[in-house]
Amino acid sequence: MAEAERIIGTPDTPDAAGNGRERPGEDPAAAGASGTDEPTAAGRSRGKRRIAVLFAVASFAYALDLISKMIVVAKLEHHPPIEIIGDWLKFEAIRNAGAAFGFGEAFTVIFTMIAAAVIVVIARLARKLYSLPWAIALGLLLGGALGNLTDRIFRAPGVFEGAVVDFIAPKHFAVFNLADSAIVCGGILIVLLSFKGLDPDGTVHKD
């Protein structure tokens, strides 16, 4: 878990002076004027807003996933698929014991542990978060991970071995759910932010 935080590279404070990085719109002279590494009151307030965005996005993604699965189980399971766009897109209830998109069904417990670890890491990184795009990306990851972890814990056949409810079935593609979609979107956004050199603490690489 500590290694994951090291790879992401978020410092304990938002100070970027002397590290070849700068925060967008920040005056380097003003940043070092205080002669201390402690974040300013404005910086702390900004960090709290980013944390609020992270948990708001996570809550929205989690609630949307949870509600959709409840509807699917109640209305669609044990019933014929519903065609949305002909044969190209259907809603079909599937119980998936593997990872996202139906991979690795023999490793349900392992995937459960990975999802739990992701949630813990994101929660620990939240206190170092000063970037709005990163808050959105991590919120999507957190909401998606929570959605599928809820299935792993509470659905049959048992705790930590539960099968995830999937229902979005495109033609010639694996069946997935909204939690999977949130995880993929969050992952893509993180890759884009990394390419742009933007770190979770709001600093930008000058490489």
Side-chain angles (χ1 to χ4, degrees), residues 55-133:
F55 286 109
V57 172
S59 298
F60 179 76
Y62 177 66
L64 204 60
D65 178 69
L66 189 64
I67 293 171
S68 67
K69 288 174 179 175
M70 292 173 61
I71 294 173
V72 166
V73 170
K75 303 295 185 180
L76 189 57
E77 199 166 34
H78 309 304
H79 290 79
I82 298 176
E83 292 187 354
I84 304 301
I85 308 177
D87 290 336
W88 291 98
L89 179 63
K90 299 179 180 179
F91 284 168
E92 179 179 6
I94 299 291
R95 295 293 181 118
N96 170 26
F101 307 109
F103 298 114
E105 293 190 6
F107 303 99
T108 305
V109 175
I110 294 177
F111 292 132
T112 302
M113 294 173 63
I114 291 174
V118 167
I119 293 169
V120 172
V121 169
I122 293 175
R124 292 186 61 183
L125 290 176
R127 63 188 175 86
K128 308 173 184 180
L129 188 63
Y130 290 86
S131 166
L132 178 59

Side-chain angles (χ1 to χ4, degrees), residues 53-69 115 118-120 122-123 135-151 177-184 186:
V53 169
L54 186 157
F55 286 109
V57 172
S59 298
F60 179 76
Y62 177 66
L64 204 60
D65 178 69
L66 189 64
I67 293 171
S68 67
K69 288 174 179 175
V118 167
I119 293 169
V120 172
I122 293 175
I136 294 172
L138 293 178
L140 289 170
L141 284 180
L142 180 58
L146 283 171
N148 283 339
L149 184 61
T150 299
D151 283 358
N177 57 42
L178 295 182
D180 297 331
S181 301
I183 291 171
V184 170

